[in-house]
Amino acid sequence: MAAGAKLKKRRFDAVVVGGGGAGLRASLELAARGYHVAVVSKVFPTRSHTVAAQGGITSALGNVSPDHWHWHMYDTVKGSDYIGDQDAIEYLCRNAIEVVYELEHMGLPFSRLDDGRIYQRPFGGQSQNFGGPQASRTCAAADRTGHALLHTLYQQNLRHGTHFFDEFYSVDFIRDSQGRIAGVLAIEIETGERYLFEAAAVVLATGGGGRIFKHTTNAFSCTGDGLGMVARAGLPLQDMEFWQFHPTGVAGAGVLVTEGCRGEGGYLVNGDGERFMERYAPNAKDLAGRDVVARSMALEIMEGRGVGPRKDHVLLKLDHLGSDIIMERLPAIREIAIKFAGVDPIETPIPVVPTVHYMMGGIPTNRFGQVIANDGGEDEIVPRLYAVGECACVSVHGANRLGGNSLVDLVVFGRAVGRHISDNFAELGAPADLDESSAELGLGRIDRLARKEGERPDLLREEIRDTLQAHCGVFRTEQTMREGWIKFEQLAGRCEQVAVKDACEIFNTARIEALELDNLVTVARATIVSALNRTESRGAHARDDHRERDDEHWLKHTLYHGDGDRIGYRPIAMQPLTVETFKPKPRTY
Amino acid sequence: MRLSIYRYNPETQRSPQLQDFEIEPGPEAKFLLDALLQIKDEVDDSLTLRRSCREGVCGSDGMNINGRNGLACVTPLKGLKEPVVVRPLPGLPVIRDLVVDMSQFFKQYRSVKPYLQSDEPVPLKERLQAPADRAELDGLYECILCACCSTSCPSFWWNPDKFVGPAGLLQAYRFIADTRDTRTNERLDDLNDPYRLFRCHTIMNCVDACPKHLNPTKAIVKIKETMLSREL
Ligand SMILES: Cc1cc2nc3c(=O)[nH]c(=O)nc-3n(C[C@H](O)[C@H](O)[C@H](O)COP(=O)(O)OP(=O)(O)OC[C@H]3O[C@@H](n4cnc5c(N)ncnc54)[C@H](O)[C@@H]3O)c2cc1C
């Protein structure tokens, strides 16, 4: 379809961009309540990256160890290094219990205990009684929990008549003539046709952006598209300096092996065969917070105690667990180790390195998923725009997410978004009649790619990923980041000149990749600027030149504004909904 | 390394053809997907395929590799006979290059009502399920809908509109086998049809093709057994 040709229009009560766990839980709530809801997803929904989640979903059911949502809340606040919003965290942990039972009722094939209840495994950072003994709080379907969850939610959406637009790439959201959020511009990948989705509410559920780093557990599809859309619309991104490095990515491959491996009794050893986590976290050992474990590994490697000819990784030992446990509880991990590391963990430890895994920052929202704008004053709600899942920053994960807390975030806040839209539907106003001019900017972004000569998007993409990896890694300093910023700015400038040679309208994936590149640039830019700005160490953001946490100056959210790469701040919500505040304390495991 | 890849651009080509490529796989290239993406990046950005997780769990990159269906991202380059002949999954309409139209496949999937249905009242907590009952779902729920099985099945090639196919039947049995689902009879009635179920001639291509090592034929046999025992 050439520029200027007619746009196809579709109108819904709500349009959800993204068919991962977050998007599908939101759409399900709306469809089940009788709303006309569309899910627009660039990959077929069950191919979303939620499918790759392994270890489980955290919820204080208390099936295996005594438990309480308030303990879950304590652990999550502590895990966040006190920069998570305590109202949202209380909401998360209280509702975690009900949403997991709901998933079970929907058919999710959880693993079971002998008495038939849902199986739960210990994960990092989980305690009983506010910092006491290890808790077992993560509900699992073997080591395929994300797959089981995503397929279950997809199936329920089929049952309730959600309208699916599979393999539609959303370019930007659209405002009407009065500036209200009014819909989404998308390309049907199969035909190249442009669509305008008109809706009373737009929900962004586009997932993470881990693809800005070279070594990541994230899928190709995790390019931070929702963040790009929001920044292009002049709205801020929050806490983008906080990226989780997962301790156990398979060395060289990036593919994840779950924290559940350590929950089931596995542990890490260095080149001397030493179980080094005993030194760094005497109590929790290998189940300390992810940031703590990842840093300890990085230190071991930097100090020459790594493994392998280049001493560039450590080992995850599982062979002492016995083949029964591995075959029953970690079957997919075994498959991954054999395929990607060439070792069978029943006999041989798996080579692992800290690997970029999760984006704690994102689109700021309140606990109803409503997107927040704030440019130096009070928070303002952006009417009719919602964000949920990894693309959102509610913030329940703060500076460091606990394992198993993302899947529950998707489902708790996915449901909350659906409820909020439904409960306030009358006030949202009817979808506006959009004319073509409303989509001009987005259409222009597509058409500019058709130039004959220009930069190769794949090369720029890889250089950006190398730059972020080298300059914004586990340990950061002003100097390394400044050098990175200079390299990055040159690359970002060249990204304006990208050319796509493929001129075919049918299933043009080169064009989609070039559009994704814009979003990667935005996410990377926000990351470096925010990380340079925060001169303290907190959670996953570890500055070698500012090693301490500084609550006096930095107990606040970072806001990144795309225009002029400006930084602003928002206060942390320290006041929970009903219980007392957990005051910041030194964080030890 | 030499690859011979099925190319079809419906805007410019009347019929598909194989195109040869010769590349030196990069030091990090271990799997067929790496090689295909290297070609797309370095040689021809119009080479078209689906991919996402690159670890064999999303089911995007099912294709026919040297005559067998499989996922490109978990097919090691080492050991592949050259030239590696890469074609789209057989039996489905080709949209472009290695991308097939999966509509018919998903239609069959949806036709088995692939969701838990229970007439029991919903309990306050979880429904209980004994570990042994839950174990019945192993080998069924893990399906990633890549279509490697159904598109290797001659019965599905001939009757994609009437035969549910191995992937759909595996899902059907996943819910029949689930002790929490109360619609077994309805599900069996729906499948009791010369085409929907009984076009399976146990050729077992599906078992060979499944990249997750699942066994749709076994599930189909179990559906038939359940039907029989119901009649007795
Ligand atoms: C390997 C791995 C294992 C993990 N294991 C666990 C675990 O055990 N427990 C846990 O709690 N967390 C885990 N996590 C984290 C968790 O899985 C993710 O944070 C979560 O699944 C993200 O879900 P989502 O719905 O936000 O996004 P995704 O599942 O990534 O879905 C994003 C959706 O948005 C769509 N989309 C994106 N951009 C566009 C666009 N421009 N147009 C249209 N559609 C678009 C995509 O098609 C997709 O449908 C894991 C993460 C990884 C990578």
Side-chain angles (χ1 to χ4, degrees):
Chain A
M1 188 178 89
K6 267 255 168 290
L7 284 167
K8 289 200 167 167
K9 279 199 195 181
R10 294 286 182 273
R11 179 174 288 200
F12 290 91
D13 293 332
V15 50
V16 178
V17 185
L24 292 186
R25 187 62 188 85
S27 62
L28 176 60
E29 193 66 25
L30 286 164
R33 289 169 180 238
Y35 289 90
H36 196 48
V37 55
V39 170
V40 173
S41 176
K42 67 180 175 182
V43 300
F44 181 79
T46 65
R47 320 222 186 280
S48 307
H49 206 43
T50 297
V51 80
Q54 301 169 352
I57 173 165
T58 301
S59 169
L61 304 185
N63 286 359
V64 171
S65 60
D67 214 347
H68 197 280
W69 67 261
H70 202 190
W71 304 349
H72 182 192
M73 177 179 174
Y74 167 85
D75 291 336
T76 304
V77 172
K78 175 181 172 186
S80 80
D81 222 348
Y82 298 94
I83 211 173
D85 289 320
Q86 297 198 16
D87 56 345
I89 296 177
E90 177 175 343
Y91 185 84
L92 174 83
C93 299
R94 273 179 177 276
N95 284 280
I97 297 170
E98 199 182 42
V99 296
V100 167
Y101 289 143
E102 277 176 4
L103 287 170
E104 195 284 325
H105 300 156
M106 290 177 200
L108 199 156
F110 282 112
S111 301
R112 300 288 171 155
L113 298 162
D114 284 341
D115 64 8
R117 291 180 303 157
I118 293 172
Y119 170 73
Q120 296 189 279
R121 57 165 54 113
F123 250 51
Q126 299 182 346
S127 74
Q128 303 177 39
N129 212 2
F130 311 107
Q134 175 74 42
S136 290
R137 192 176 291 141
T138 300
C139 311
D143 52 359
R144 304 187 180 94
T145 315
H147 172 284
L149 181 144
L150 187 65
H151 281 253
T152 301
L153 287 175
Y154 178 64
Q155 293 162 353
Q156 290 297 321
N157 273 280
L158 290 179
R159 182 180 193 175
H160 289 282
T162 300
H163 297 261
F164 281 102
F165 292 84
D166 302 331
E167 301 186 324
F168 276 63
Y169 180 85
S170 163
V171 180
D172 272 309
F173 56 79
I174 302 294
R175 295 182 195 265
D176 63 16
S177 49
Q178 293 139 53
R180 292 183 313 169
I181 305 296
V184 166
L185 171 69
I187 307 177
E188 179 177 31
I189 299 176
E190 181 181 335
T191 60
E193 286 176 322
R194 277 71 150 163
Y195 279 68
L196 257 188
F197 288 90
E198 297 167 336
V202 172
V203 181
L204 300 175
T206 52
R211 282 272 148 187
I212 64 165
F213 289 92
K214 176 149 179 85
H215 301 296
T216 175
T217 64
N218 284 198
F220 284 106
S221 55
C222 301
T223 50
D225 295 353
L227 280 71
M229 294 180 214
V230 159
R232 280 192 292 279
L235 297 169
L237 301 176
Q238 179 168 291
D239 293 345
M240 290 301 294
E241 59 274 42
F242 299 113
W243 285 88
Q244 177 162 80
F245 290 77
H246 194 292
T248 55
V250 173
V255 176
L256 178 83
V257 293
T258 172
E259 184 166 304
C261 294
R262 283 169 286 138
E264 298 291 348
Y267 57 85
L268 298 164
V269 294
N270 64 18
D272 303 335
E274 182 204 5
R275 184 174 180 184
F276 57 88
M277 280 314 298
E278 291 180 336
R279 260 190 286 125
Y280 294 95
N283 296 317
K285 303 191 179 91
D286 297 83
L287 287 178
R290 283 183 180 170
D291 54 335
V292 175
V293 181
R295 273 196 294 278
S296 310
M297 293 167 69
L299 280 174
E300 290 300 300
I301 293 168
M302 278 157 57
E303 288 170 6
R305 290 189 295 279
V307 180
R310 290 189 297 172
K311 295 188 184 248
D312 56 358
H313 59 267
V314 299
L315 295 176
L316 173 65
K317 204 170 128 48
L318 297 176
D319 51 301
H320 58 288
L321 297 180
S323 65
D324 285 355
I325 294 250
I326 293 181
M327 299 298 274
E328 188 194 326
R329 303 209 186 127
L330 303 167
I333 295 308
R334 177 166 180 253
E335 222 180 287
I336 284 177
I338 293 173
K339 288 219 168 83
F340 290 93
V343 299
D344 183 344
I346 293 177
E347 281 146 20
T348 317
I350 310 172
V352 291
V353 286
T355 304
V356 167
H357 183 57
Y358 186 85
M359 178 177 83
M360 268 78 72
I363 305 162
T365 72
N366 61 18
R367 68 173 189 280
F368 308 108
Q370 294 177 286
V371 171
I372 304 267
N374 182 327
D375 203 350
E378 296 286 304
D379 281 358
E380 276 171 43
I381 285 165
V382 181
R384 320 211 309 174
L385 185 62
Y386 293 77
V388 65
E390 192 168 336
C391 73
C393 183
V394 185
S395 156
V396 290
H397 309 301
N400 170 64
R401 173 177 75 90
L402 294 186
N405 260 355
S406 172
L407 292 183
V408 74
D409 163 3
L410 310 181
V411 189
V412 166
F413 292 105
R415 188 178 76 163
V417 162
R419 285 181 173 178
H420 194 271
I421 293 174
S422 156
D423 293 347
N424 299 281
F425 197 70
E427 288 95 273
L428 292 176
D433 232 334
L434 292 174
D435 58 44
E436 305 236 331
S437 63
S438 63
E440 249 167 29
L441 278 175
L443 291 170
R445 287 186 53 235
I446 308 170
D447 293 335
R448 97 200 130 108
L449 299 170
R451 58 173 74 83
K452 290 252 157 15
E453 292 299 322
E455 296 278 354
R456 251 176 66 183
D458 61 293
L459 287 180
L460 289 168
R461 183 187 66 219
E462 294 312 312
E463 283 186 54
I464 289 173
R465 298 177 67 201
D466 285 335
T467 306
L468 269 287
Q469 190 74 34
H471 296 273
C472 243
V474 176
F475 291 106
R476 301 162 171 183
T477 64
E478 169 96 20
Q479 196 194 338
T480 51
M481 287 191 287
R482 285 252 171 259
E483 289 164 13
W485 176 246
I486 292 166
K487 277 195 218 167
F488 171 78
E489 282 223 288
Q490 286 169 353
L491 292 168
R494 287 165 54 200
C495 288
E496 300 292 311
Q497 299 305 317
V498 155
V500 174
K501 295 217 179 66
D502 185 356
C504 175
E505 285 297 328
I506 311 290
F507 226 100
N508 187 330
T509 53
R511 178 162 68 196
I512 301 299
E513 287 179 31
L515 289 167
E516 288 171 337
L517 181 64
D518 286 343
N519 302 319
L520 289 172
V521 168
T522 304
V523 175
R525 193 177 266 288
T527 299
I528 308 177
V529 172
S530 306
L532 263 169
N533 183 66
R534 185 175 283 270
T535 49
E536 65 155 356
S537 289
R538 183 183 298 272
H541 177 63
R543 297 265 314 231
D544 247 356
D545 46 357
H546 299 275
R547 293 197 173 178
E548 297 302 317
R549 192 176 86 192
D550 176 0
D551 288 339
E552 196 187 323
H553 297 103
W554 287 107
L555 206 56
K556 56 190 176 190
H557 293 298
T558 307
L559 290 180
Y560 165 82
H561 300 276
D563 53 322
D565 295 318
R566 291 176 301 121
I567 291 288
Y569 301 99
R570 278 180 74 213
I572 312 290
M574 296 300 284
Q575 184 62 50
L577 300 172
T578 65
V579 294
E580 278 181 30
T581 298
F582 289 110
K583 297 221 174 69
K585 284 196 294 198
R587 188 163 154 261
T588 54
Y589 283 102
Chain B
M1 131 162 268
R2 285 176 304 131
L3 298 102
S4 192
I5 304 177
Y6 180 104
R7 300 301 306 267
Y8 175 60
N9 176 338
E11 282 180 2
T12 57
Q13 273 171 274
R14 223 175 296 141
S15 56
Q17 65 192 92
L18 287 175
Q19 184 181 357
D20 292 332
F21 292 92
E22 177 124 30
I23 57 159
E24 186 64 52
E28 282 160 28
K30 289 208 180 95
F31 298 96
L32 177 61
L33 181 64
D34 301 325
L36 294 174
L37 294 181
Q38 188 176 334
I39 294 172
K40 184 171 177 62
D41 283 345
E42 294 175 5
V43 186
D44 180 356
D45 74 352
S46 74
L47 176 64
T48 302
L49 63 147
R50 295 186 174 104
R51 86 286 179 267
S52 189
C53 75
R54 58 81 170 93
E55 56 183 271
V57 64
C58 79
S60 295
D61 63 350
M63 50 189 75
N64 186 274
I65 305 155
N66 280 346
R68 289 191 50 173
N69 289 354
L71 300 176
C73 63
V74 290
T75 299
L77 285 174
K78 221 192 265 170
L80 280 179
K81 198 173 128 288
E82 289 183 40
V84 188
V85 182
V86 188
R87 297 170 180 271
L89 290 174
L92 294 176
V94 176
I95 295 173
R96 188 177 175 188
D97 294 350
L98 302 172
V99 172
V100 290
D101 179 351
M102 311 246 313
S103 314
Q104 197 57 255
F105 173 80
F106 288 128
K107 200 165 163 196
Q108 290 299 358
Y109 167 73
R110 290 195 300 269
S111 81
V112 305
K113 301 201 172 149
Y115 37 79
L116 191 89
Q117 299 179 79
S118 171
D119 300 324
E120 303 282 331
V122 174
L124 227 49
K125 296 187 170 184
E126 68 265 62
R127 290 193 187 87
L128 300 182
Q129 187 173 48
D133 289 337
R134 166 60 183 75
E136 292 295 317
L137 308 183
D138 286 337
L140 304 173
Y141 82 94
E142 303 94 321
C143 171
I144 58 173
L145 301 177
C146 64
C148 284
C149 62
S150 293
T151 61
S152 71
C153 171
S155 299
F156 190 76
W157 295 339
W158 302 135
N159 293 293
D161 51 337
K162 291 193 234 150
F163 174 47
V164 172
L169 290 169
L170 187 87
Q171 286 300 313
Y173 187 62
R174 178 246 172 277
F175 289 98
I176 291 169
D178 196 324
T179 49
R180 300 171 296 173
D181 190 281
T182 57
R183 298 283 177 87
T184 302
N185 273 326
E186 220 173 86
R187 293 181 187 280
L188 293 174
D189 290 346
D190 166 62
L191 294 174
N192 197 354
D193 170 284
Y195 280 95
R196 284 179 66 68
L197 173 69
F198 290 99
R199 275 291 117 167
C200 168
H201 299 308
T202 49
I203 302 168
M204 310 253 292
N205 281 1
C206 54
V207 183
D208 277 343
C210 179
K212 303 311 280 184
H213 314 295
L214 310 179
N215 189 331
T217 304
K218 194 166 134 202
I220 293 168
V221 169
K222 288 209 169 164
I223 297 176
K224 292 179 182 166
E225 282 173 6
T226 319
M227 268 181 193
L228 268 178
S229 65
R230 177 172 75 150
E231 278 157 27
L232 288 176

